[in-house]
Amino acid sequence: MPLPQSYLEDIASRLEPGMREAFLKAVRALRAQADPARIAALLENGDVDGVLDAIGLNDPAWLNSFRAAMAEGFVAGGQETHAGVRDLIIDAISQDILPPGSDARLLATFGIRNLPAEKALRDYDMGLIREINDNTRDGVRTFLEDGMEAGHNPVQSALDLCGRIGESGEREGGILGLTETQARSVQRARDELASTDATTLRRCLGRELRDRRYDAAVLRAIRSGEPIPEAIQEKAGTAYSNRYLRYRAEVVSRTESLRSASVGQHAALLNAVATGALPYDSIRRFWMDTNDERTRLWHKEIPDLNPDGVGLKEPFVTPLGPLLYPRDPEGEAENIIQCRCWCQIRITSGNRWLDMLDFPVPG
């Protein structure tokens, strides 16, 4: 029986909340162990590299909880693909597309101890963890260097970096955990809140992630020309930073829950070939877009650019460069982040074929 074409999305939906919480937990732990006094002393000497080391960003071990959640998605994608491949092989044998006994060559289970799977997970893990850690480091470095250039007080910068202890007993409102672009956005929002210029203040009201509970205070400041009280500035800035961290966690978990399952899917197919259960040249993969208003326009072009599909190790031609499969970790960010496309996997022999997923292949 074919797998539902949405099975990777189903896996991602199941695992995304845990992956999101794992990312937030990792950032909370990073903030909790940060020492603002030590950071301020290092900033007094202009030692940004020392700050990165003191925070723990020179060692990606802070992402271990997220790494475990990511591996769970990889294994789930591989296991369900493995089960689908087994059913597909049995059907192909019954229709003389594959020779008898092909199913016996398939490993009993899929797991990270299988060599193709182990390599795929290792490569994906190393690349992703390095990317997240580097983006977080860049956010901290840019924030601190901008602050030093602007002459910000080191103690204030240290607290703006790590956050302040909130009612929950945890640090809130810092930029630690954000990317370079996000950290700069938070700092600009704080600068806008501190302004008395009406045009500058109005920019606050255009920020999508702002906490609208503070809009009234901004409007009063615009009308009166008086500054927003510092306590309200701090609360509004903290809320904006918290929402940006939540947004980053959502983007990362949404992308990586589906991508980890996709990497697992491809590893399961590689396993099937490595064991001899599937001949390499029997596999054709077809790019399928979701064909709705959220689909990237250039992703709608990919099926026509690859009308005959591609082999297991052949990349798809795309307008933004080759992709081995949707959400390929080697792809450019604009080509893969939050992508919802999928692959139809077809087993062929001559003019006979079977699809692994219950969705027709064009043509």
Side-chain angles (χ1 to χ4, degrees):
M1 177 181 296
L3 288 169
Q5 62 90 4
S6 63
Y7 83 102
L8 292 183
E9 285 191 353
D10 295 341
I11 292 170
S13 295
R14 193 167 69 241
L15 298 179
E16 183 182 331
M19 190 173 284
R20 181 173 60 247
E21 184 54 36
F23 181 81
L24 290 171
K25 179 181 177 181
V27 174
R28 286 195 293 264
L30 202 62
R31 291 182 175 185
Q33 71 182 18
D35 181 352
R38 183 183 179 194
I39 291 170
L42 290 165
L43 291 177
E44 288 277 6
N45 296 319
D47 189 0
V48 174
D49 287 330
V51 173
L52 292 172
D53 191 49
I55 293 173
L57 286 177
N58 288 333
D59 183 356
W62 68 275
L63 283 163
N64 280 350
S65 61
F66 179 76
R67 172 183 274 131
M70 181 189 70
E72 186 179 354
F74 171 86
V75 171
Q79 286 178 341
E80 294 203 24
T81 303
H82 183 86
V85 168
R86 180 177 294 282
D87 289 343
L88 186 65
I89 290 174
I90 292 172
D91 287 345
I93 292 171
S94 69
Q95 297 186 37
D96 296 326
I97 294 174
L98 291 176
S102 296
D103 55 324
R105 300 189 183 96
L106 192 65
L107 293 175
T109 59
F110 174 89
I112 58 174
R113 297 304 178 195
N114 302 335
L115 288 180
E118 184 179 11
K119 182 181 185 306
L121 179 58
R122 182 175 64 250
D123 291 347
Y124 169 49
D125 177 287
M126 290 175 62
L128 173 65
I129 297 303
R130 182 173 60 249
E131 176 185 340
I132 293 176
N133 191 61
D134 287 353
N135 287 342
T136 306
R137 283 166 51 93
D138 290 345
V140 170
R141 180 180 292 280
T142 298
F143 174 79
L144 295 179
E145 289 178 347
D146 286 352
M148 288 190 295
E149 185 176 341
H152 291 170
N153 181 288
V155 173
Q156 183 76 20
S157 292
L159 290 172
D160 287 345
L161 170 64
C162 305
R164 293 160 176 81
I165 303 297
E167 294 179 1
S168 65
E170 296 182 345
R171 294 195 177 278
E172 299 178 352
I175 64 90
L176 183 55
L178 301 180
T179 67
E180 178 180 351
T181 299
Q182 293 166 349
R184 276 187 163 150
S185 182
V186 168
Q187 186 56 53
R188 282 195 295 268
R190 287 186 177 276
D191 291 342
E192 290 163 6
L193 288 164
S195 176
T196 55
D197 177 70
T199 301
T200 302
L201 283 166
R202 286 193 183 94
R203 295 195 194 109
C204 295
L205 302 177
R207 292 189 175 275
E208 187 176 349
L209 293 176
R210 75 188 189 279
D211 188 330
R212 287 169 169 77
R213 291 178 299 175
Y214 301 103
D215 285 1
V218 175
L219 290 169
R220 282 195 298 270
I222 291 172
R223 289 193 296 266
S224 69
E226 296 293 325
I228 298 172
E230 288 186 7
I232 295 179
Q233 288 183 39
E234 180 57 38
K235 289 180 180 179
T238 293
Y240 185 67
S241 179
N242 289 343
R243 288 182 173 212
Y244 232 133
L245 178 61
R246 186 76 180 178
Y247 171 75
R248 188 187 185 196
E250 288 174 354
V251 171
V252 168
S253 61
R254 191 177 304 127
T255 299
E256 300 309 328
S257 58
L258 192 48
R259 181 155 60 171
S260 61
S262 299
V263 177
Q265 178 193 65
H266 197 70
L269 293 170
L270 290 171
N271 266 329
V273 170
T275 60
L278 283 177
Y280 172 80
D281 57 7
S282 71
I283 301 174
R284 300 298 293 176
R285 298 178 302 127
F286 295 80
W287 187 286
M288 309 295 286
D289 68 79
T290 47
N291 194 30
D292 59 25
E293 68 281 356
R294 293 169 55 196
T295 306
R296 294 167 169 86
L297 293 178
W298 60 91
H299 279 193
K300 293 184 178 183
E301 300 175 23
I302 297 176
D304 289 337
L305 292 173
N306 305 269
D308 298 321
V310 297
L312 181 57
K313 296 182 181 180
E314 298 173 29
F316 289 95
V317 175
T318 88
L320 296 185
L323 290 177
L324 192 57
Y325 44 81
R327 299 165 297 279
D328 178 2
E330 297 300 319
E332 297 294 327
E334 62 268 37
N335 216 12
I336 59 175
I337 291 178
Q338 300 196 68
C339 170
R340 296 172 301 118
C341 299
W342 53 282
C343 274
Q344 176 62 279
I345 297 150
R346 172 179 282 187
I347 304 301
T348 66
S349 177
N351 294 324
R352 292 168 298 174
W353 52 268
L354 281 174
D355 289 338
M356 192 175 85
L357 309 181
D358 62 355
F359 195 92
V361 176

